[in-house]
RNA sequence: GGCGGCAUAGCCAAGUGGUAAGGCAACGGCCUGCAAAGCCGCUAUUCUCCAGUUCGAAUCUGGAUGCCGCCUCCA
């Protein structure tokens, strides 16, 4: 089955055919680094991380570029407020971005260019646009003339004459058309500035992406992504600039992810309900955040609520519990890149194949996660039918379990799950809770030991008393063949 | 005003013409000293409403209602 992608430009799903066979060139708009990243950034980054992982996994040679916008009005304003240089402010938030994304188990893209490293290239493109008559200078600013670009509005489906110019912002009188946008912006004293043929200034927002994408991917490339809000004006303007300058189709597939709401409300400054990544990962496992976000189709809005994220966290526990069980049985889990044992009958369902079908259909991770749950349940069922430890069992059964785990690990690898060993996962989780709730782990272990002794001497009354005591402390115990474990009920 | 999206069980959520995935919760069973975990079963004759196309519609068309997003250098 071939991959289909929903193309925002055509408003329909299309078969995915790369410009160059076997190669994918992908550009995704990264953050403007003037503040910490919130859950919305996480979604966008994770969505494209999964697309990157998947395309790579199925054999494409993927060049993935994600930029940093490190010069912009917001950065300048913030740096003035804080009394630090724009450069050091950007540096700080680039570091923080990396910390957040590493925590979320996001792979680094092939390249992470910064706007300020591409000023020369930006100026060259503006010069091309001036030469071709698409741009005009006024004062120290340079504007792009939208009326001269045939096809302006094709991505966002807007017609210039239908839009309410200046409905919400004052129209700049120097513009020939209110929708003309700035390519080069003259600087005020003490603002970061670069020399240009039009005087000292800095690039406009949109032009940097045209420059950086052309630099690393060429004038035409396969996939351009970003949040839905970027469709207009950012991506519309990128198309206009790049196609006007280079005379070629800019991007083949436009991919846009939906928003994250918090308790049914849009995140906004006025509501003050921004959820920052660094705060979320203090409370929830980063992979639970991934599982939650990827449980919805990437184009749909998702609603971040306590209930929903807890649901995902419980699901992740269930998956890791199965992996722990299998690991105990096998001694060690198979490597995700290992081959299947083909001398044992493959399970009645090829879960990895089904997962691939789901991903091939416009990266339907929600459907894929359903298949992942299916395979977890199936593997639990198979394990139920086998002796508890591998020592008493035969090679064929071991290989069968190994194959099932391989399916699960491969799916997890695409979704960015199961980066930890089950042992580490559960230990970290427990340590974190002990730390947060100041539990005395030794005391709990002592109670469990006392209960074990009571059970051994058939004093079930005492054993149940201890269990009830623990339950009152929000601790639940589980008697396994090889001992009793405990966990905190959340 | 222009453009776009969404409405599926108590909750979350897949599903774009062939008879409703998956998760959570609830309930019944197996297992267990009893639990927990795991497994099995059960849980929407039906997909906001009305009309139409079709042998057949959650899926297509028209209309209604409700909710949401973009048109602000917000992912």
């Amino acid at each position: 089955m071939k991959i289909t992608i929903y193309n925002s430009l055509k408003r329909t799903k299309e078969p995915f055919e790369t410009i160059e066979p076997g190669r994918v060139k992908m550009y995704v708009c990264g953050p403007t680094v003037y503040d910490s990243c919130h859950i919305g950034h996480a979604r966008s980054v994770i969505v494209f991380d999964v697309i990157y992982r998947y395309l790579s996994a199925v054999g494409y040679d993927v060049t993935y570029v994600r930029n940093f916008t490190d010069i912009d009005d917001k950065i300048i304003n913030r740096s003035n407020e804080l009394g630090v240089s724009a450069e050091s402010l950007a540096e700080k938030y680039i570091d923080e971005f990396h910390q957040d994304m590493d925590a979320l188990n996001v792979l680094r893209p092939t390249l992470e260019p910064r706007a300020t490293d591409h000023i020369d290239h930006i100026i060259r493109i503006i010069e091309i646009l001036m030469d071709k008559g698409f741009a005009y200078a006024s004062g120290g600013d340079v504007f792009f003339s939208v009326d001269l670009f045939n096809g302006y509005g094709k991505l966002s489906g807007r017609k210039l004459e239908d839009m309410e110019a200046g409905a919400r912002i004052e129209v700049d009188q120097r513009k020939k058309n209110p929708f003309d946008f700035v390519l080069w912006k003259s600087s005020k004293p003490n603002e970061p500035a670069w020399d240009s043929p039009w005087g000292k200034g800095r690039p406009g927002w949109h032009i940097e992406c045209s420059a950086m994408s052309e630099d690393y991917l060429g004038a035409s490339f396969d996939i351009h992504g970003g949040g839905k809000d970027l469709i207009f004006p950012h991506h519309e303007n990128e198309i206009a600039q790049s196609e006007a300058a280079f005379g070629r189709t800019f991007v083949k597939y436009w991919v846009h992810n939906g928003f994250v709401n918090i308790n049914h409300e849009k995140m906004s400054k006025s509501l003050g309900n921004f959820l920052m990544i660094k705060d979320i990962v203090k409370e929830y496992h980063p992979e639970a955040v991934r599982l939650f976000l990827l449980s919805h189709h990437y184009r749909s809005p998702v609603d971040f609520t306590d209930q929903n994220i807890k649901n995902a966290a419980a699901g992740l526990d269930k998956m890791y519990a199965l992996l722990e069980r299998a690991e105990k049985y096998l001694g060690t889990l198979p490597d995700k890149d290992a081959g299947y044992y083909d001398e044992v009958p493959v399970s009645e369902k090829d879960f990895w194949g089904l997962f691939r079908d789901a991903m091939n259909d416009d990266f339907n991770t929600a459907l894929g996660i359903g298949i992942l749950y299916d395979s977890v349940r199936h593997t639990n069922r198979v394990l139920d039918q086998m002796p508890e430890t591998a020592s008493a069992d035969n090679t064929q059964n071991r290989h069968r379990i190994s194959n099932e785990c391989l399916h699960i690990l491969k799916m997890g690898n695409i979704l960015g799950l199961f980066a930890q060993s089950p042992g580490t996962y559960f230990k970290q989780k427990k340590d974190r809770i002990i730390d947060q709730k100041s539990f005395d782990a030794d005391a709990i272990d002592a109670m469990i030991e006392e209960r074990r002794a009571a059970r051994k001497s058939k004093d079930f009354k005492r054993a149940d008393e201890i269990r009830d005591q623990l339950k009152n402390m929000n601790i639940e115990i589980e008697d396994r063949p090889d001992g009793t474990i405990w966990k905190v009920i959340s």
Side-chain angles (χ1 to χ4, degrees):
Chain A
M1 187 171 149
K2 300 205 64 169
I3 296 174
T4 38
I5 298 185
Y6 181 89
N7 189 350
S8 304
L9 184 64
K10 307 286 179 56
R11 292 179 191 75
T12 182
K13 280 188 207 170
E14 296 182 322
F16 181 57
E17 282 161 13
T18 58
I19 294 168
E20 217 179 298
R23 287 205 64 185
V24 175
K25 296 175 179 182
M26 174 160 110
Y27 185 96
V28 175
C29 288
T32 300
V33 282
Y34 73 106
D35 204 350
S36 299
C37 289
H38 52 65
I39 182 77
H41 294 105
R43 186 183 195 193
S44 181
V45 170
I46 287 170
V47 162
F48 291 102
D49 179 55
V50 169
I51 291 174
Y52 174 47
R53 286 167 180 263
Y54 185 65
L55 293 175
S56 302
V58 299
Y60 285 103
D61 175 14
V62 185
T63 306
Y64 173 26
V65 179
R66 187 185 57 215
N67 73 291
F68 286 112
T69 297
D70 61 346
I71 184 65
D72 145 290
D73 287 357
K74 283 180 298 191
I75 294 173
I76 293 169
N77 291 341
R78 176 57 77 86
S79 67
N80 286 340
E81 280 168 29
L82 300 175
V84 297
S85 71
E87 200 179 348
S88 67
L89 185 81
E91 204 60 48
K92 174 185 153 133
Y93 285 111
I94 287 172
D95 281 351
E96 202 178 276
F97 178 88
H98 279 141
Q99 279 171 32
D100 286 347
M101 295 312 162
D102 290 350
L104 289 171
N105 196 24
V106 172
L107 298 176
R108 296 283 174 102
T110 321
L111 293 154
E112 295 184 288
R114 304 176 185 196
T116 54
D117 289 333
H118 295 265
I119 302 292
D120 289 347
H121 193 188
I122 287 168
I123 290 172
R124 275 205 307 281
I125 295 176
I126 298 174
E127 284 179 319
I128 294 171
L129 291 169
M130 292 282 275
D131 288 347
K132 291 192 171 183
F134 287 105
Y136 57 94
S138 180
D141 294 355
V142 181
F143 296 97
F144 184 93
S145 183
V146 295
D147 291 311
L148 299 180
F149 178 71
N150 199 334
Y152 190 80
K154 65 183 172 184
L155 178 66
S156 54
R158 291 156 210 269
K159 295 192 183 86
L160 284 168
E161 58 270 27
D162 289 340
M163 290 191 284
E164 274 185 66
R168 298 168 82 169
I169 47 164
E170 199 72 14
V171 174
D172 187 330
Q173 293 307 318
R174 294 170 304 164
K175 291 182 179 179
K176 292 180 181 171
N177 181 310
F179 290 99
D180 288 352
F181 54 91
V182 69
L183 295 166
W184 188 261
K185 190 165 186 165
S186 61
S187 55
K188 299 190 192 99
N190 301 321
E191 281 182 353
W194 289 263
D195 287 320
S196 82
W198 315 282
K200 280 190 176 296
R202 60 178 180 272
W205 175 36
H206 318 294
I207 193 70
E208 61 177 73
C209 289
S210 289
M212 288 185 272
S213 61
E214 202 247 351
D215 214 2
Y216 299 110
L217 304 175
S220 285
F221 56 95
D222 299 292
I223 297 174
H224 191 135
K228 261 194 166 103
D229 55 322
L230 297 179
I231 292 173
F232 191 90
H234 185 51
H235 290 161
E236 193 69 64
N237 292 353
E238 278 187 50
I239 292 174
Q241 293 161 347
S242 290
E243 298 194 350
F246 307 124
R248 296 171 57 185
T249 300
F250 179 41
V251 167
K252 203 164 174 194
Y253 303 96
W254 285 93
V255 179
H256 293 101
N257 63 276
F259 272 28
V260 180
N261 293 322
I262 309 290
N263 295 318
H264 321 293
E265 282 174 329
K266 186 182 160 159
M267 278 189 284
S268 73
K269 292 259 194 264
S270 55
L271 288 166
N273 59 348
F274 279 91
L275 261 183
M276 298 305 178
I277 293 170
K278 59 185 173 189
D279 296 326
I280 294 170
V281 297
K282 278 182 207 152
E283 197 156 346
Y284 299 101
H285 193 281
E287 292 184 7
V289 177
R290 291 186 72 109
L291 187 63
F292 161 69
L293 291 171
L294 296 169
S295 295
H296 306 67
H297 189 92
Y298 75 87
R299 279 186 278 118
S300 309
V302 310
D303 194 22
F304 191 102
T305 63
D306 247 28
Q307 244 261 35
N308 290 348
I309 182 75
K310 282 195 169 131
N311 198 335
L316 188 67
D317 273 356
K318 184 187 175 115
M319 292 175 189
Y320 267 110
L322 176 270
L323 290 176
E324 186 181 45
R325 193 181 175 196
E327 186 179 45
K328 199 159 280 175
Y329 178 88
L330 291 170
T332 175
L333 288 171
D335 185 89
K336 66 178 168 38
D337 298 317
Y340 290 95
Y341 292 106
D342 51 15
E343 84 279 9
V344 288
V346 182
S347 70
E348 47 270 42
K349 271 184 164 179
D350 173 13
F351 291 107
W352 170 241
L354 290 168
F355 182 84
R356 283 188 58 163
D357 288 346
M359 291 300 290
N360 285 343
D361 185 9
D362 194 30
F363 310 110
N364 193 336
T365 53
L367 180 57
I369 286 168
I371 291 157
L372 178 56
Y373 276 116
D374 268 342
S375 72
V376 167
R377 178 158 38 85
H378 181 261
T379 308
N380 263 316
R381 192 189 309 153
V382 174
L383 278 164
D384 277 353
Q385 293 159 1
M386 290 183 183
E388 283 296 340
T389 55
S391 56
D393 214 343
N394 64 41
T395 309
Q396 220 187 23
N397 280 347
R398 293 173 55 83
H399 287 185
R400 191 169 169 209
I401 298 297
S402 181
N403 279 354
E404 300 295 351
C405 286
L406 208 48
H407 278 139
I408 291 167
L409 293 172
K410 282 160 88 91
M411 290 185 258
N413 186 237
I414 301 300
L415 300 169
L417 306 178
F418 317 139
Q420 294 177 300
S421 73
T424 308
Y425 172 83
F426 285 114
K427 178 161 193 317
Q428 263 186 14
K429 187 160 178 144
K430 192 186 241 182
D431 287 347
R432 184 146 69 169
I433 288 168
I434 289 170
D435 196 44
Q436 270 176 6
K437 309 210 173 180
S438 324
F439 279 138
D440 182 346
D442 290 341
I444 293 165
D445 288 340
M447 287 170 77
I448 286 174
E449 173 53 29
E450 192 195 337
R451 178 169 169 276
R452 192 196 62 80
R455 286 180 74 211
K456 200 170 178 193
S457 54
K458 305 273 183 214
D459 183 0
F460 294 122
K461 186 164 172 283
R462 178 64 192 143
D464 290 352
E465 255 171 40
I466 295 168
R467 186 168 60 198
D468 289 343
Q469 276 175 22
L470 288 166
K471 186 128 192 173
N472 285 336
M473 295 159 68
N474 263 329
I475 291 166
E476 197 158 72
I477 57 175
E478 193 178 317
D479 294 325
R480 296 189 181 178
D482 55 344
T484 298
I485 63 139
W486 61 271
K487 60 188 178 186
V488 178
I489 310 162
S490 48

